[in-house]
Amino acid sequence: MAAPLTLLLVVAVTIRAALYRSSLAEVIAERVEVVSPITAWKRVIEGLALLDLGVSPYSGDVFHETPLVIYLFHFLVDYAEITFMLADVISAIALYLAVKEYNKQVVRKKQKFALEADRYPQDCLELIRSPKEMLYIPLKVAMFYLLNPFTILSCVAKSTCGLNNAPQIITPHCFKISFAVFLCLATYQSIYPLTLCAPAMLYLMQRQYIPVNYRRASFWWFVVQYLFMYLGSLFVLICLSFFLLGSWDYLPSVYGFILSVPDLTPNIGLFWYFFAEMFEHFRLFFLCVFQINVFFYTVPLSIKLKDHPVFLMFMQLAVISIFKSYPTVGDIALYMALLPVWSHLHRFLRNIFLVSCVLLACSVLFPVLWHLWIYAGSANSNFYYAITLLFNVAQILLVSDYFYAFLRREHHLIHGLYLKKKDGSEATLVLK
Amino acid sequence: TFYIEPLKINKLGVRASDTFVLTPTPQPKDDFQEELVIRPLHSGDIYASFQFRTLWETDFMRENKVSHYRLFPKSLGQVISKFSVRELHISFTQGYWRTMQWGQPFLPSPPGAELWVWFQDSVTDVDAAWKELTNVLSGIFCASLNFIDSTNTVQPSASFKPLGIVNETDHRFLRYATLPREIVCTENLTPWKKLLPCGSKAGLAVLLKSEKLFHSSFFSQTVHIRPVCQDRECKTTSWELRQTLNVVFDLHTSGQGKREWSLFKMFSRTLTEACPLASSSKIYIDVTDNPQEEYFELSPATPLLSQAVVLGDRRTFSVYDLTQQVTFGTVRSLNLLIRWKSTEGECSMLRPLLHAERYVAGYGLQTGEIHTVMYNNHPFRSFPVLLLDSVPWYLRLYIHTLTVTSKGKDNTPSYIHYQPSKDRMRPHLLEMLVQLPPHSVTEVTVQFERALLKWTEYTPDPNHGFYVGSSVISALVPSSVAMDTNITQEQPLFSSFFPCKEESSYFVRVYTEPLLVNLPTPDFSMPYNVICLTCTVVAVGYGSLYNLLTRSFQIEEPNPRLAKKIANFIRRIRGVPLLS
């Protein structure tokens, strides 16, 4: 398997290098769909320039990266392109290894259950995947990530989204509790990966055969260990950042900025136009509602999907990417890379054709309507906003469709594939 | 002079109503001077500058409040003592001063309103004092200075040094704000005239009639308050209040086309007397370009001639002294007439040594570039200039894109002070010391990004654009004539405003044009629609996930009991076999 992966890496790096050298790099770096006020490379350079001028980068409202990023790019600013390509490559390799590990686990679990074959009804044997089918999935996942136009655009624009994605990917697919550090790194960059704590803990508990039962002491002991590791490293990182620049200025500038959304630069998310048109009286209320919206799916999803932590991870990543305050296409590429892992669900997907058409159409219309609004002056902000709405609805439909298909497959695995009504005719399944 | 004491009751209980007690008065320590300078410009327009100065030897900062005001206006005196103001400079300007056509003005001012104040060292909360001061001044001058808040106030670190007595300069006590959008009209002129001792009833102020003054190319009224030294050793200090009014009348809009200017044509009034409270009241006509009266003729003729060094040039002036009755002649009124003899043969104007322009480059509503172009027209001397730029927060400057080029080569500033903006709190402040090479053009460019504001933050006409205040360029320009550094020597008011520290250069402040920048706008008719639509999308997500989380799959058992009942009922009526 190493050879195709290496080939894939080489192709990906070549494409990125070619785009870096072309004149498209500057154009892409300015696109609002690809960069946001948090991740733009122009702002990183601005922060470094302010530091050179002797002014704190956080004294203004242009720079919103964490101090570790300043520290990193203080040394690597001349090798920025290599850094971002390396981040993408590392993410791809991490995805590859993680999915391979997951497939092994699935096979083991399935094989184990197959031994007790009477657990599964006879007719759903076709739902169970064979190792042969699953052989190429890790490669497909790596390919989906590296060759996704969204990822390529994000890398060429030198958006720090790529750096944010890497720890999120490495994180949960690790089998040691000490790897909570990576999740902590991801949370430190942007707050939302906090919700990935739950799937990470569930995955590790599954790996270590700890039963997920709140009445058991071993469960709580594990949770305490993990949280200690996680919160401890977060605390260390925050204190380290304080010592790097000598002040706590970065806390309101980075985390306050993400949570309070003062900058209304258009992007592909739902926040900007909503808060541009918000009545001042209700601003705080809706801000809280929208931010809580990102976090509060964690507990219900964890309860429902406690036996399937990897799918839970996928769902969480998707929820974060859609509902975060400053989304970019790099965030979308992250959860879309995991779609091949559930390619076996295609028979239960209901809207996949519609969703893919809408996503494709919206991706094409974004730059067109931006140009019409900002440069040609013949459209107004409503056009761009409409496409934003449509794009997000399509993503929500995609995610909920996969969730439906997953749940349906689980139902069939337990109750049999061809179900019949009381009178013997073919049954239809509904959610009740 | 004597003054009459109020009614007193003496010890005998007798009302001293029929006896007036006359006591000698202390010498009044205040002095009022008025001046009008008329300078014909080379483009055919005429520049008139009124200067009114009140000097008062008093101490506003002492414990007992000053209560007996004579020539100094009480409203301003109270402002000074209440807010512990050391220097106050406020100007209201309509129009833009065209340096290349008109030369340098005596007192420069940017379009709109500009206010800069030095507070005393004793002030503990400068921002609170500034806020109150702007509101009080807004009431005094009937102007909307209450729009000055933290989003357009800056604290320059090197420009705007005090113009009066300087002990030490801690720039924490300086505040500068400009309102480029402010319009000047009669409502602002009237309270300004009221501050004068004679009001608009006597003296030069009778010429200040708004229907002519606002029908001009340029109009500016200013008030400057500062402490000055009375003598060389500065043993006594007094407070100086200067009110200046600069106006440029356009040759062509005033009709007739004939090149002839008179007081009546400019101001629709003539002068009949000087202000009785003024110690000096003079009119100066700039006749430097007309030594032998070959270009224009001045009537009535005057024997008085004076020379003054102003703006680095020695100029000759014909003087009319209004305190002398002979000036008004037998008709008891003075209507100065300047008549040009021929329309050709103009001598060339002295090119201003320092000149600046500013414009916005780029297209679209996302990004742009501010270009400030400075011209040094001196043939062989280079001099440093201090550039002050205050850009509102919604134009996000990227300081790493700052480039300064002179004659095509990079010209690094020796001093840069940059304070980045905070959204909705303070603007960008950029100050640079740039050395301008001789006979060159220096261009300063900075890129910016336009922000999308909340719909309530736009002005009522959002597509008009947003104003960016003028850049201020301060410099000590080399002078071709030795300047007089003796402060106490009698000098005309218009040449003694900026303090002169050295003989070989004079202080010049140049203001660039304000910029008008468009920002992307949201659709203002749609707040409710947007809230509904976005909440709908969030609800779609919530609804789908809620359904999938709380419901489970079940086999659907059809149960159309009601429908079957209705169907059977209709079938019974029709007489058709029923459903099973």
Side-chain angles (χ1 to χ4, degrees):
Chain A
M1 257 325 174
L5 181 65
T6 322
L7 181 66
L8 175 65
L9 292 175
V10 165
V11 167
V13 169
T14 314
I15 297 177
R16 285 162 171 76
L19 281 172
Y20 272 130
R21 291 285 157 263
S22 73
S23 63
L24 283 177
E26 278 113 43
V27 175
I28 294 172
E30 294 269 312
R31 301 284 337 155
V32 288
E33 296 92 7
V34 184
V35 298
S36 69
I38 304 181
T39 58
W41 178 247
K42 198 169 176 188
R43 292 183 182 232
V44 174
I45 300 282
E46 178 71 9
L48 292 172
L50 283 173
L51 208 59
D52 286 337
L53 268 179
V55 179
S56 162
Y58 300 109
S59 58
D61 249 339
V62 163
F63 187 73
H64 301 286
E65 301 276 358
T66 53
L68 279 186
V69 168
I70 304 182
Y71 196 66
L72 178 74
F73 283 110
H74 194 62
F75 301 111
L76 291 179
V77 67
D78 298 323
Y79 307 107
E81 294 166 3
I82 299 178
T83 314
F84 287 104
M85 283 200 280
L86 203 63
D88 270 1
V89 161
I90 291 176
S91 303
I93 296 177
L95 271 173
Y96 179 86
L97 293 171
V99 176
K100 208 160 154 183
E101 186 65 39
Y102 171 63
N103 282 348
K104 248 194 278 193
Q105 218 211 2
V106 165
V107 165
R108 220 182 305 139
K109 215 168 64 169
K110 292 279 166 27
Q111 277 178 344
K112 216 171 72 163
F113 283 153
L115 286 177
E116 320 155 36
D118 54 339
R119 289 266 316 258
Y120 280 164
Q122 286 305 103
D123 53 359
C124 62
L125 278 173
E126 59 188 83
L127 286 178
I128 298 174
R129 295 176 289 163
S130 65
K132 201 150 155 251
E133 288 169 2
M134 302 201 295
L135 188 63
Y136 283 106
I137 289 180
L139 189 66
K140 274 195 218 167
V141 167
M143 195 166 69
F144 259 56
Y145 186 72
L146 279 176
L147 298 182
N148 191 347
F150 290 156
T151 327
I152 297 178
L153 285 175
S154 215
C155 184
V156 172
K158 290 192 271 209
S159 160
T160 55
C161 190
L163 294 180
N164 290 354
N165 285 350
Q168 284 183 31
I169 291 177
I170 296 179
T171 274
H173 304 286
C174 308
F175 32 90
K176 281 214 181 78
I177 208 170
S178 55
F179 281 74
V181 177
F182 284 103
L183 182 64
C184 163
L185 203 62
T187 312
Y188 167 75
Q189 294 272 67
S190 68
I191 308 172
Y192 299 108
L194 179 65
T195 58
L196 296 178
C197 236
M201 275 199 278
L202 286 171
Y203 184 69
L204 283 170
M205 282 199 258
Q206 208 182 51
R207 293 294 305 252
Q208 297 180 357
Y209 303 107
I210 299 172
V212 183
N213 191 347
Y214 62 88
R215 291 198 200 93
R216 299 282 199 94
S218 55
F219 168 75
W220 289 111
W221 175 236
F222 182 84
V223 168
V224 163
Q225 271 184 307
Y226 191 87
L227 283 179
F228 177 75
M229 188 83 210
Y230 175 73
L231 293 172
S233 7
L234 198 60
F235 180 73
V236 165
L237 272 177
I238 292 195
C239 290
L240 193 66
S241 311
F242 169 73
F243 287 120
L244 269 175
L245 282 179
S247 75
W248 294 109
D249 280 348
Y250 75 96
L251 285 177
S253 248
V254 179
Y255 304 118
F257 182 79
I258 295 175
L259 290 175
S260 67
V261 192
D263 187 335
L264 298 171
T265 313
N267 50 55
I268 57 174
L270 297 165
F271 278 65
W272 64 279
Y273 207 53
F274 188 69
F275 288 105
E277 299 270 17
M278 174 53 60
F279 299 103
E280 210 46 46
H281 187 69
F282 294 109
R283 197 185 143 78
L284 185 61
F285 169 71
F286 278 105
L287 196 62
C288 294
V289 167
F290 270 52
Q291 294 291 1
I292 289 172
N293 186 45
V294 184
F295 290 100
F296 96 126
Y297 289 113
T298 311
V299 172
L301 279 173
S302 309
I303 294 173
K304 182 90 180 180
L305 294 170
K306 61 181 184 285
D307 298 320
H308 312 282
V310 179
F311 191 76
L312 175 63
M313 177 86 52
F314 166 73
M315 289 294 299
Q316 284 287 45
L317 281 173
V319 162
I320 294 173
S321 303
I322 298 170
F323 294 116
K324 72 191 287 195
S325 46
Y326 292 101
T328 60
V329 294
D331 301 306
I332 296 170
L334 180 57
Y335 78 82
M336 279 198 179
L338 292 173
L339 289 180
V341 181
W342 293 287
S343 51
H344 59 279
L345 295 173
H346 71 274
R347 59 189 299 170
F348 300 115
L349 291 171
R350 292 177 298 175
N351 305 323
I352 198 65
F353 176 68
L354 177 72
V355 164
S356 40
C357 284
V358 172
L359 283 175
L360 207 61
C362 287
S363 310
V364 170
L365 280 174
F366 268 125
V368 170
L369 290 170
W370 178 257
H371 178 87
L372 280 181
W373 173 27
I374 298 290
Y375 294 103
S378 52
N380 66 7
S381 50
N382 290 335
F383 292 69
Y384 194 78
Y385 167 65
I387 298 300
T388 307
L389 285 181
L390 211 55
F391 193 68
N392 284 305
V393 165
Q395 282 185 74
I396 291 171
L397 281 180
L398 175 73
V399 167
S400 61
D401 214 13
Y402 266 90
F403 195 22
Y404 171 87
F406 188 84
L407 290 176
R408 180 133 174 207
R409 181 172 169 271
E410 293 300 311
H411 181 88
H412 282 302
L413 279 178
I414 299 170
H415 294 108
L417 186 54
Y418 299 104
L419 298 165
K420 295 204 168 15
K421 283 200 282 209
K422 283 190 199 138
D423 50 9
S425 56
E426 201 177 322
T428 48
L429 275 181
V430 290
L431 280 171
K432 272 218 187 32
Chain B
T1 47
F2 297 95
Y3 82 103
I4 300 172
E5 265 190 17
L7 230 43
K8 273 213 178 125
I9 300 181
N10 62 21
K11 275 189 261 199
L12 299 173
V14 173
R15 219 167 44 150
S17 52
D18 294 321
T19 57
F20 290 111
V21 183
L22 299 170
T23 52
T25 57
Q27 273 302 316
K29 299 202 196 128
D30 51 6
D31 171 60
F32 175 67
Q33 292 175 312
E34 55 178 21
E35 208 174 82
L36 165 61
V37 184
I38 297 184
R39 171 195 269 188
L41 299 171
H42 284 261
S43 50
D45 310 321
I46 197 148
Y47 172 32
S49 173
F50 291 81
Q51 310 256 348
F52 302 95
R53 181 176 83 163
T54 308
L55 268 179
W56 193 18
E57 199 179 311
T58 181
D59 186 7
F60 283 112
M61 299 300 135
R62 63 158 187 232
E63 293 309 313
N64 340 336
K65 296 212 182 338
V66 175
S67 54
H68 187 62
Y69 288 86
R70 192 170 156 262
L71 296 177
F72 201 95
K74 184 172 180 180
S75 49
L76 290 180
Q78 288 179 325
V79 161
I80 297 173
S81 47
K82 177 156 197 251
F83 298 108
S84 305
V85 166
R86 192 165 100 197
E87 279 195 28
L88 187 142
H89 303 270
I90 185 167
S91 76
F92 298 94
T93 312
Q94 173 103 317
Y96 177 65
W97 182 270
R98 294 169 217 286
T99 315
M100 290 310 278
Q101 285 148 307
W102 300 339
Q104 293 279 9
F106 297 123
L107 266 156
S109 51
E114 187 204 38
L115 171 67
W116 57 283
V117 174
W118 275 94
F119 289 92
Q120 300 277 359
D121 298 354
S122 56
V123 176
T124 43
D125 190 353
V126 183
D127 289 317
W130 171 253
K131 182 134 189 72
E132 274 192 62
L133 176 64
T134 49
N135 280 291
V136 166
L137 288 174
S138 168
I140 293 178
F141 290 105
C142 288
S144 25
L145 297 175
N146 51 324
F147 283 125
I148 293 179
D149 55 13
S150 66
T151 60
N152 47 24
T153 307
V154 289
Q155 212 175 310
S157 67
S159 318
F160 293 104
K161 295 248 181 295
L163 293 174
I165 301 170
V166 179
N167 286 333
E168 54 182 71
T169 52
D170 182 357
H171 280 260
R172 280 186 301 129
F173 296 102
L174 169 63
R175 291 290 183 275
Y176 172 80
T178 172
L179 289 173
R181 212 186 160 121
E182 185 72 11
I183 298 175
V184 195
C185 58
T186 316
E187 264 175 22
N188 308 116
L189 181 62
T190 313
W192 186 90
K193 282 195 288 188
K194 280 211 186 106
L195 297 173
L196 296 170
C198 282
S200 53
K201 302 203 173 40
L204 290 171
V206 300
L207 297 176
L208 302 177
K209 293 295 164 203
S210 44
E211 63 265 11
K212 279 291 188 176
L213 282 179
F214 290 104
H215 198 64
S216 57
S217 305
F218 179 83
F219 172 84
S220 167
Q221 64 180 54
T222 71
V223 171
H224 302 276
I225 302 175
R226 57 181 177 170
V228 291
C229 292
Q230 286 282 60
D231 49 16
R232 187 168 267 270
E233 293 84 33
C234 217
K235 284 204 279 282
T236 46
T237 62
S238 40
W239 284 90
E240 180 194 72
L241 164 68
R242 271 197 199 229
Q243 287 177 256
T244 71
L245 194 141
N246 297 299
V247 61
V248 174
F249 292 102
D250 195 316
L251 170 69
H252 302 288
T253 55
S254 32
Q256 294 171 3
K258 218 177 10 165
R259 204 158 162 203
E260 179 187 285
W261 289 104
S262 71
L263 279 185
F264 191 79
K265 185 175 173 184
M266 290 195 276
F267 304 107
S268 68
R269 291 282 186 286
T270 58
L271 289 165
T272 49
E273 55 165 344
C275 173
L277 298 167
S279 63
S280 127
S281 178
K282 295 199 168 87
I283 300 185
Y284 293 83
I285 316 280
D286 190 335
V287 294
T288 324
D289 301 325
N290 193 37
Q292 269 90 39
E293 295 225 347
E294 63 262 22
Y295 295 117
F296 60 82
E297 177 197 338
L298 197 56
S299 74
T302 174
L304 298 169
L305 220 62
S306 107
Q307 282 208 336
V309 178
V310 59
L311 296 171
D313 195 19
R314 186 171 293 280
R315 315 288 294 181
T316 315
F317 297 90
S318 289
V319 183
Y320 292 81
D321 191 345
L322 297 177
T323 49
Q324 310 293 326
Q325 205 49 34
V326 68
T327 318
F328 295 103
T330 45
V331 295
R332 307 263 207 109
S333 97
L334 175 64
N335 182 18
L336 284 172
L337 193 60
I338 306 172
R339 194 184 291 118
W340 266 264
K341 293 189 175 155
S342 60
T343 49
E344 343 54 64
E346 290 295 339
C347 57
S348 58
M349 177 180 75
L350 184 72
R351 261 179 91 186
L353 291 178
L354 180 62
H355 170 54
E357 285 171 352
R358 195 161 74 141
Y359 58 90
V360 172
Y363 63 95
L365 294 174
Q366 191 178 3
T367 54
E369 228 174 52
I370 298 183
H371 291 244
T372 310
V373 185
M374 298 184 279
Y375 298 88
N376 176 2
N377 293 323
H378 202 285
F380 51 85
R381 295 275 294 273
S382 75
F383 51 87
V385 299
L386 200 58
L387 170 65
L388 172 83
D389 241 323
S390 166
V391 179
W393 65 267
Y394 37 81
L395 301 182
R396 303 202 166 96
L397 292 185
Y398 285 95
I399 204 67
H400 70 273
T401 56
L402 176 71
T403 56
V404 184
T405 46
S406 301
K407 290 184 180 172
K409 288 195 297 243
D410 234 3
N411 180 1
T412 324
S414 52
Y415 168 77
I416 298 186
H417 173 249
Y418 176 62
Q419 192 187 50
S421 69
K422 262 236 173 289
D423 273 10
R424 301 181 179 90
M425 271 170 47
R426 59 163 197 251
H428 297 273
L429 174 67
L430 176 63
E431 276 188 280
M432 293 192 292
L433 187 68
V434 184
Q435 185 84 6
L436 299 185
H439 206 67
S440 69
V441 177
T442 305
E443 188 159 344
V444 178
T445 60
V446 175
Q447 280 181 17
F448 65 88
E449 201 178 77
R450 302 172 206 227
L452 185 74
L453 306 177
K454 297 183 202 169
W455 69 300
T456 48
E457 288 174 345
Y458 287 88
T459 52
D461 182 9
N463 291 303
H464 179 71
F466 286 77
Y467 284 92
V468 179
S470 316
S471 295
V472 186
I473 296 160
S474 323
L476 278 174
V477 176
S479 155
S480 46
V481 173
M483 307 288 295
D484 194 356
T485 52
N486 189 351
I487 48 160
T488 53
Q489 194 174 29
E490 277 303 310
Q491 281 178 347
L493 292 174
F494 58 90
S495 61
S496 64
F497 182 69
F498 288 114
C500 192
K501 303 268 169 47
E502 45 185 281
E503 286 185 348
S504 58
S505 55
Y506 61 98
F507 181 77
V508 154
R509 188 171 280 147
V510 176
Y511 291 93
T512 62
E513 303 94 323
L515 300 174
L516 192 57
V517 175
N518 269 70
L519 292 182
T521 60
D523 189 346
F524 298 99
S525 60
M526 294 250 307
Y528 187 66
N529 302 6
V530 167
I531 295 174
C532 284
L533 288 169
T534 311
C535 288
T536 305
V537 171
V538 174
V540 164
Y542 175 80
S544 330
L545 287 178
Y546 177 82
N547 268 343
L548 291 164
L549 285 169
T550 53
R551 299 183 186 198
S552 56
F553 286 100
Q554 289 171 25
I555 295 177
E556 187 182 2
E557 294 290 344
N559 196 7
R561 256 188 283 173
L562 182 64
K564 213 171 172 184
K565 257 195 200 162
I566 294 173
N568 280 339
F569 179 73
I570 296 172
R571 282 184 169 224
R572 219 177 284 136
I573 294 172
R574 284 170 61 196
V576 173
L578 301 171
L579 292 171
S580 60

